[in-house]
């Protein structure tokens, strides 16, 4: 599992917290159903089979918005 630090995702303000959960949900539904996430020192951390670059590539090429 790769540890991916989302340094732009903090637990406060609320919008940043929700951004973290949104990224997690999208990746869990569309890319890696076994992904895990947790907070460490005000940074959201993902544990995924995807690498950092694969996450970027997913959002650029494969992401499908919810309807």
């Amino acid at each position: 599992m790769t540890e991916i630090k989302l340094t732009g995702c903090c637990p406060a303000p609320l919008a940043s917290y929700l951004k973290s959960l949104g990224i997690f949900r999208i990746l869990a539904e569309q890319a890696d159903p076994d992904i895990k996430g947790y907070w460490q020192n005000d940074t959201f951390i993902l544990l995924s089979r995807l690498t950092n670059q694969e996450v970027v590539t997913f959002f650029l090429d494969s992401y499908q918005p919810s309807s």
Side-chain angles (χ1 to χ4, degrees):
M1 298 284 263
T2 302
E3 184 177 272
I4 302 168
K5 294 181 181 182
L6 301 180
T7 56
C9 296
C10 306
L14 180 60
S16 184
Y17 175 81
L18 294 175
K19 174 176 60 174
S20 306
L21 296 182
I23 291 168
F24 176 78
R25 182 186 64 83
I26 290 165
L27 289 171
E29 289 179 352
Q30 297 184 27
D32 181 4
D34 297 322
I35 197 168
K36 307 282 189 262
Y38 63 94
W39 293 100
Q40 182 178 53
N41 300 325
D42 290 341
T43 299
F44 195 62
I45 311 292
L46 297 173
L47 292 176
S48 176
R49 63 177 174 78
L50 303 172
T51 65
N52 290 359
Q53 186 56 49
E54 288 172 329
V55 170
V56 171
T57 300
F58 164 76
F59 278 107
L60 291 174
D61 299 335
S62 303
Y63 167 63
Q64 296 292 317
S66 301
S67 53

